[in-house]
């Protein structure tokens, strides 16, 4: 989600909330010679509001599970998650008097700190990465479809190679018949002996097929493919230049097509990497958020009971 | 195109699911494992300084029952270490639980520093089991309906019997054996236990702790002023008032009349033995001090009559003039008067504590403002509650003032009835492994 002008009211509201909380906290702290306490009336107020915001932020996951529920627009929930979740952290710090405590409260504060930092990191990524990805990867596809597209690329490359090889094989068959006639007349074709031309076509076909099987197919079949020669763009360009030099000009368009297929595969790999960066932080943020809510509930029950 | 792609799992989603299950489970397992080894996993809030030694051994106070430590701290748990006699046990309508007033886990405060609400729950509308309350029944706090100190209310008086004129003693160029002096309050009034010598003592007299009836809960020995003693604060100047005869350098002892009488007889007996001709010497010229004592005997003719006459003369000088300067002499049936007890109050506030040492930064007269002008013993120089309110307010620190809560001055428990509690714990029981035993 991009943080744009549509977030202005959320931003102002959140800022005002934090400023108000700080304005209450400063005199409260100064007039508490023994230090502020989470169990005082003001401390409990901070804790309760902060916990409510955390709970709301945590409910975003549930909201996403049931997108058809008519309980507010998904974007509103997302904005609430972002801003109320952000505000909850200073509120909990005020609740704790900027102390991490011991045992359960220390664990909670550390978990919350990691959740908060990962959330901020994620928000920054969500703001910048989509545009960055679009600029870098013009042929962006749906992440979940990358595997399917990759399989299509394999098929496309295989077809290209097969068709080219079939063409070469068909030419060889025809040449064999002409060779028989030419041999009878002891002539030449195009400055070359017919026998040597037949050998070249066969060699090109083998080379193209070998290249596909040894280089292109392994590269296209596997995601990432780090370490393979074709995974590196400049290296790949060199390989295809070299291939063209080895193949007759009639096959160069095929080679260019293969090069394009590989380029598309590289973009898919790059997109997959960007996607992992864009969503990888959720592997930290979401599980720890659940742990935070769970232990936070224990903390609240124990604190209020005792 | 696979239109159901969003329903299918992929590594990121799978890992998110696995971790979303695993990490909360790990968190719960961690919590339960911590919980199984005690209550150290809980952040209980800071203990008071006196209970900090218990650390995380919650069960010492929150006595565990069936594996679960109780939320409430029972009085029994407190009484295993403390004996806290009840507050007017025969009059108070009810006795609150210890923990309702002494609230733990609030920081390193003294637990005795209770909330005003604890007191106000009864004193706002005081009821007693029988009859009428002896005290003001509607006190809500130090700033709200707290009465003036009892001794300053109409009818209050100073029970002291020493005739002291503060005004005269604080005059400039007051005559002293060493020439004119300017006395200060500190020359006579100092907290007990302060090391030093008194400037107007009889010789170099060191300060002694004159408080003999200090409440044992008054931890500071300097809380109250040292008792006024003739030898420490008065004799330096007033020794001349006990001089009884120019023939003797020695003054009469500052003691009971019987002791003084015995001293005089001894002195004159020794004198006539050393000066047998004194019997025929003319009697002292000048006015005989008028007195309500027995009339002077006739002029002496024998040694015995001479001693009797001299002692009677000295008695009049002392008991009707020298002693009377400060003491109230009571004429009784016997030959000698009695001296009224000085009865200088050591504590003016019988139901409250005061600590002079805590107020040492203040000049004496900023509170005892009437002292420099006081000419009569009956003047009560105790500052009124308004003086206290100059610094002390309810919710003091919140208003940039000294605390004004009830427990600043008042004790709830009848400490005089306290008994030493039976010892119950070993170090290991209190400290666990932290005890190092």
């Amino acid at each position: 989600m991009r943080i744009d002008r549509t977030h202005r009211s959320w931003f102002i509201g959140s800022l005002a909330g934090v400023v108000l909380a700080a304005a209450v906290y400063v005199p409260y702290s100064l007039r508490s010679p023994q230090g502020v306490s989470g169990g005082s009336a003001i401390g409990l107020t901070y804790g309760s509001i902060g916990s409510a915001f955390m709970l709301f932020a945590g409910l975003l996951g549930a909201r996403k599970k049931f997108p058809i529920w008519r309980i507010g627009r998904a974007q509103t929930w997302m904005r609430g998650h972002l801003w109320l979740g952000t505000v909850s952290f200073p509120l909990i710090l005020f609740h704790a008097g900027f102390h991490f405590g011991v045992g359960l409260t220390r664990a909670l504060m550390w978990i919350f700190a990691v959740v908060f930092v990962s959330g901020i990191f994620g928000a920054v990524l969500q703001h910048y990465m989509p545009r960055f990805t679009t600029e870098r990867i013009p042929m962006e596809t749906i992440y979940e479809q990358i595997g399917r597209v990759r399989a299509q690329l394999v098929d496309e490359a295989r077809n290209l190679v097969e068709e080219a090889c079939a063409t070469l094989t068909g030419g060889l068959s025809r040449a064999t018949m002409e060779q028989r006639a030419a041999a009878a007349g002891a002539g030449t074709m195009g400055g070359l002996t017919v026998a040597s031309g037949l050998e070249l076509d066969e060699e090109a076909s083998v080379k193209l097929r070998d290249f596909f099987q040894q280089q292109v197919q392994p590269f296209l079949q596997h995601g990432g493919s780090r370490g393979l020669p074709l995974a590196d763009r400049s290296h790949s360009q060199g390989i295809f230049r070299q291939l063209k030099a080895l193949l007759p000009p009639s096959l160069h368009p095929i080679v260019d097509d293969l090069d394009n297929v590989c380029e598309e595969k590289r973009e898919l790999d790059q997109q997959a990497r960007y996607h992992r960066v864009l969503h990888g932080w959720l592997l930290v943020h979401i599980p720890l958020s659940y742990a935070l809510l769970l232990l936070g509930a224990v903390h609240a029950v124990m604190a209020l009971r005792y | 195109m696979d239109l159901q792609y969003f329903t299918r799992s992929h590594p990121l989603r799978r890992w998110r699911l696995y971790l979303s299950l695993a990490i909360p489970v790990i968190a719960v397992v961690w919590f339960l494992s911590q919980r199984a080894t005690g209550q150290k996993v809980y952040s209980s809030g800071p203990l008071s300084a006196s209970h900090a030694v218990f650390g995380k051994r919650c069960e010492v106070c929150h006595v565990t029952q069936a594996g679960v430590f109780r939320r409430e701290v029972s009085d029994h748990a407190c009484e295993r270490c403390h004996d806290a006699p009840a507050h007017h046990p025969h009059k108070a309508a009810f006795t609150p639980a210890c923990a309702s007033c002494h609230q733990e886990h609030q920081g390193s405060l003294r637990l005795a520093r209770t909330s005003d609400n604890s007191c106000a729950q009864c004193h706002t509308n005081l009821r007693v089991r029988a009859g009428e309350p002896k005290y003001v029944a509607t006190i809500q706090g130090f700033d709200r309906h707290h009465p003036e100190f009892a001794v300053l209310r109409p009818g209050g008086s100073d029970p002291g019997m020493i005739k002291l004129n503060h005004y005269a003693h604080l005059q400039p160029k007051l005559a002293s054996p060493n020439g004119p002096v300017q006395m200060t309050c500190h020359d006579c009034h100092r907290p007990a236990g302060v090391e030093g010598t008194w400037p107007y003592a009889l010789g170099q007299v060191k300060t002694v702790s004159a408080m003999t009836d200090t409440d044992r809960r008054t931890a500071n020995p300097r809380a109250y002023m040292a008792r006024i003693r003739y030898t420490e604060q008065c004799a330096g100047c007033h020794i001349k008032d006990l001089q009884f005869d120019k023939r003797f350098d020695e003054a009469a002892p500052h003691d009971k009349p019987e002791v003084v009488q015995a001293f005089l007889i001894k002195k004159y007996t020794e004198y006539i033995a050393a000066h047998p001709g004194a019997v025929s010497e003319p009697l002292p010229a000048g006015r005989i001090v008028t007195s309500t004592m027995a009339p002077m005997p006739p002029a002496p003719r024998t040694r015995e009559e001479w001693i009797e006459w001299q002692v009677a003369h000295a008695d009049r000088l002392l008991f009707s003039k020298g002693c009377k300067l400060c003491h109230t002499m009571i004429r009784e049936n016997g030959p000698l008067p009695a001296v009224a007890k000085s009865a200088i109050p050591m504590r003016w506030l019988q139901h409250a504590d005061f600590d002079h040492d805590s107020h040492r930064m203040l000049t004496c007269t900023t509170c005892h403002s009437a002292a420099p002008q006081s000419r009569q013993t009956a003047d009560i120089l105790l500052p009124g509650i308004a003086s206290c309110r100059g610094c002390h307010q309810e919710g003091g620190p919140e208003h940039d003032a000294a605390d004004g809560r009830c427990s600043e001055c008042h004790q709830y428990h009848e400490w005089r009835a306290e008994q030493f509690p039976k010892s119950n714990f070993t170090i290991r029981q209190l400290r666990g492994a932290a005890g190092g035993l």
Side-chain angles (χ1 to χ4, degrees):
Chain A
M1 165 175 267
R2 281 186 61 77
I3 300 170
D4 52 21
R5 287 175 177 276
T6 61
H7 286 250
R8 174 179 281 183
S9 57
W10 282 98
F11 170 73
I12 292 173
S14 302
L15 188 64
V18 172
V19 169
L20 178 65
V24 173
Y25 180 80
V26 170
Y28 161 60
S29 171
L30 292 176
R31 290 178 181 178
S32 302
Q34 300 299 320
V36 300
S37 165
S40 66
I42 296 178
L44 278 177
T45 305
Y46 284 129
S48 303
I49 297 174
S51 300
F53 286 178
M54 286 162 62
L55 188 62
F56 177 83
L59 287 174
L60 179 70
R63 174 68 182 84
K64 283 185 172 178
K65 291 283 179 196
F66 304 98
I68 59 169
W69 282 8
R70 301 173 72 85
I71 47 173
R73 295 169 56 209
Q75 279 211 335
T76 307
W77 275 79
M78 191 65 215
R79 289 189 181 112
H81 173 90
L82 183 68
W83 290 105
L84 296 183
T86 304
V87 171
S88 67
F89 191 63
L91 288 180
I92 294 299
L93 285 178
F94 292 152
H95 165 67
F98 291 89
H99 295 295
F100 274 37
V102 293
L104 180 60
T105 51
R106 177 178 289 181
L108 278 169
M109 289 303 287
W110 276 113
I111 292 173
F112 196 13
V114 175
V115 168
F116 177 76
V117 170
S118 64
I120 295 293
F121 178 68
V124 172
L125 287 179
Q126 297 279 358
H127 180 77
Y128 291 108
M129 280 290 285
R131 177 175 290 183
F132 179 79
T133 305
T134 305
E135 288 172 354
R136 293 293 185 93
I137 305 167
M139 301 192 60
E140 185 182 357
T141 186
I142 297 166
Y143 175 75
E144 287 82 355
Q145 296 284 3
I146 285 178
R148 182 170 289 274
V149 174
R150 205 164 50 221
Q152 288 173 348
L153 290 179
V154 174
D155 291 342
E156 185 181 344
R158 183 182 292 115
N159 289 339
L160 283 170
V161 171
E162 289 301 327
E163 282 175 14
C165 290
T167 305
L168 287 173
T169 309
L172 185 61
S173 302
R174 285 193 300 277
T176 305
M177 289 187 298
E178 289 170 4
Q179 185 186 15
R180 289 187 189 118
T188 59
M189 290 175 66
L192 293 172
T193 63
V194 172
S196 67
L198 290 173
E199 284 170 7
L200 276 175
D201 285 346
E202 190 170 358
E203 189 181 337
S205 172
V206 170
K207 277 184 180 170
L208 188 59
R209 201 182 295 275
D210 286 350
F211 176 73
F212 172 75
Q213 288 173 347
Q214 291 170 12
Q215 303 261 18
V216 178
Q217 191 170 357
F219 171 65
L220 295 181
Q221 276 180 333
H222 300 102
S225 312
R226 258 178 213 283
L228 295 180
L230 294 178
D232 180 72
R233 182 173 285 112
S234 59
H235 200 177
S236 173
Q237 286 170 350
I239 290 171
F240 278 103
R241 258 198 313 274
Q242 193 177 6
L243 182 64
K244 280 181 178 177
L246 296 174
L247 295 178
S250 60
L251 290 179
H252 287 189
I254 302 295
V255 173
D256 287 340
D257 286 346
L258 283 177
D259 192 5
N260 287 336
V261 167
C262 289
E263 177 59 24
E264 195 172 338
K265 165 64 169 49
R266 276 193 294 272
E267 287 189 0
L268 288 178
D269 288 344
Q270 198 170 7
Q271 186 191 338
R273 280 197 297 275
Y274 288 166
H275 185 89
R276 283 196 292 273
V277 171
L278 187 59
H279 295 90
W281 61 277
L282 289 170
L283 295 178
V284 174
H285 187 75
I286 291 176
L288 286 180
S289 296
Y290 289 144
L292 178 65
L293 289 174
L294 200 60
L295 293 181
V298 173
H299 168 70
V301 169
M302 298 305 287
L304 292 176
R305 174 166 161 71
Y306 292 102
Chain B
M1 174 68 90
D2 177 14
L3 295 179
Q4 294 300 312
Y5 70 89
F6 58 87
T7 64
R8 303 195 195 290
S9 177
H10 62 78
L12 269 179
R13 278 190 184 161
R14 268 199 306 278
W15 275 106
R16 211 160 70 193
L17 175 65
Y18 297 155
L19 290 172
S20 296
L21 293 173
I23 288 183
V25 168
I26 290 169
V28 170
V29 169
W30 169 82
F31 171 74
L32 292 177
S33 68
Q34 295 288 309
R35 177 66 187 82
T37 58
Q39 288 85 36
K40 64 184 178 183
V41 70
Y42 301 122
S43 183
S44 59
L47 287 168
S48 61
S50 51
H51 289 161
V53 67
F54 301 158
K56 289 290 180 184
R57 297 187 70 81
C58 310
E59 67 276 9
V60 172
C61 300
H62 299 272
V63 177
T64 304
Q65 287 183 339
V68 177
F69 66 89
R70 290 158 52 101
R71 173 189 172 190
E72 298 80 13
V73 174
S74 67
D75 287 357
H76 174 68
C78 303
E79 287 163 357
R80 287 196 293 172
C81 297
H82 304 278
D83 178 46
H87 184 66
H88 304 305
H90 304 300
K91 295 180 182 174
F94 85 106
T95 300
C98 306
S100 71
C101 299
H102 302 289
Q103 295 185 345
E104 251 299 1
H105 304 293
Q106 302 291 319
S108 58
L109 300 169
R110 290 186 311 123
L111 275 182
R113 192 171 173 269
T114 54
S115 158
D116 283 359
N117 292 335
S118 302
C119 306
Q121 62 182 324
C122 286
H123 282 273
T124 300
N125 184 17
L126 190 62
R127 295 178 192 278
V128 292
R129 289 185 179 173
E132 289 298 312
K134 186 179 170 186
Y135 305 103
V136 176
T138 56
I139 302 173
Q140 295 174 3
F142 187 58
D143 300 340
R144 292 170 292 159
H145 305 294
H146 191 294
E148 179 57 277
F149 302 138
V151 72
L152 293 172
R153 291 180 222 159
S157 64
D158 185 345
M161 298 300 284
I162 296 296
K163 300 172 209 166
L164 183 81
N165 185 332
H166 279 93
Y167 172 80
H169 280 83
L170 291 172
Q171 290 304 300
K173 298 181 181 176
L174 195 65
S176 84
N178 300 320
V181 294
Q182 170 66 68
M183 291 188 75
T184 65
C185 306
H186 201 62
D187 292 338
C188 300
H189 301 288
R190 291 182 199 171
V194 173
E195 287 290 330
T197 55
W198 295 98
Y200 300 106
L202 192 64
Q204 296 287 305
V205 179
K206 284 242 176 184
T207 301
V208 291
S209 181
M211 281 297 294
T212 56
D213 57 349
T214 307
D215 191 299
R216 77 169 217 68
R217 288 279 154 177
T218 305
N220 189 354
R222 299 181 179 183
Y224 291 96
M225 287 292 169
R227 190 183 294 278
I228 300 291
R229 294 178 191 277
Y230 169 81
T231 52
E232 292 171 3
Q233 287 104 326
C234 313
C237 297
H238 288 279
I239 187 71
K240 62 182 173 54
D241 295 310
L242 296 183
Q243 298 284 354
F244 60 94
D245 193 324
K246 290 179 180 175
R247 287 170 289 193
F248 302 104
D249 292 333
E250 199 175 353
H254 184 262
D255 213 320
K256 294 175 184 173
E258 294 77 15
V259 176
V260 174
Q261 182 81 347
F263 170 83
L264 293 174
I265 293 170
K266 178 172 178 283
K267 278 294 180 187
Y268 282 114
T269 302
E270 289 171 357
Y271 185 85
I272 199 64
H275 306 87
V279 176
S280 54
E281 289 176 2
L283 294 171
R287 184 177 68 85
I288 299 293
V289 176
T290 55
S291 171
T292 57
M293 296 174 71
M296 284 294 291
R301 286 170 295 178
T302 64
R303 284 189 179 189
E304 289 70 26
E305 288 176 352
W306 183 87
I307 293 171
E308 184 185 0
W309 194 94
Q310 295 293 342
V311 169
H313 184 262
D315 278 348
R316 286 169 175 264
L317 189 65
L318 290 171
F319 299 140
S320 298
K321 189 181 176 188
C323 301
K324 205 174 172 183
L325 182 70
C326 302
H327 291 282
T328 301
M329 307 303 288
I330 304 168
R331 186 76 182 101
E332 293 183 334
N333 294 332
L336 296 174
V339 181
K341 286 191 174 180
S342 58
I344 301 172
M346 297 305 299
R347 286 180 62 157
W348 284 91
L349 304 172
Q350 294 302 314
H351 301 292
D353 295 330
F354 182 80
D355 190 338
H356 277 99
D357 197 37
S358 299
H359 296 80
R360 61 187 176 278
M361 76 295 291
L362 297 173
T363 61
C364 303
T365 52
T366 195
C367 297
H368 300 279
S369 55
Q373 302 302 322
S374 168
R375 289 176 165 85
Q376 300 295 323
T377 301
D379 292 342
I380 298 173
L381 304 180
L382 179 76
I385 196 169
S387 175
C388 304
R389 284 177 178 147
C391 295
H392 292 270
Q393 294 176 26
E394 286 182 51
E398 294 171 16
H399 306 297
D400 298 329
D403 212 335
R405 65 177 64 205
C406 308
S407 60
E408 282 288 296
C409 302
H410 297 286
Q411 301 273 350
Y412 170 85
H413 298 286
E414 296 287 345
W415 292 117
R416 280 169 291 192
E418 183 190 18
Q419 294 182 349
F420 196 76
K422 185 185 171 189
S423 307
N424 285 302
F425 297 99
T426 63
I427 293 176
R428 175 171 282 280
Q429 285 171 325
L430 282 185
R431 299 274 290 144
L437 295 176

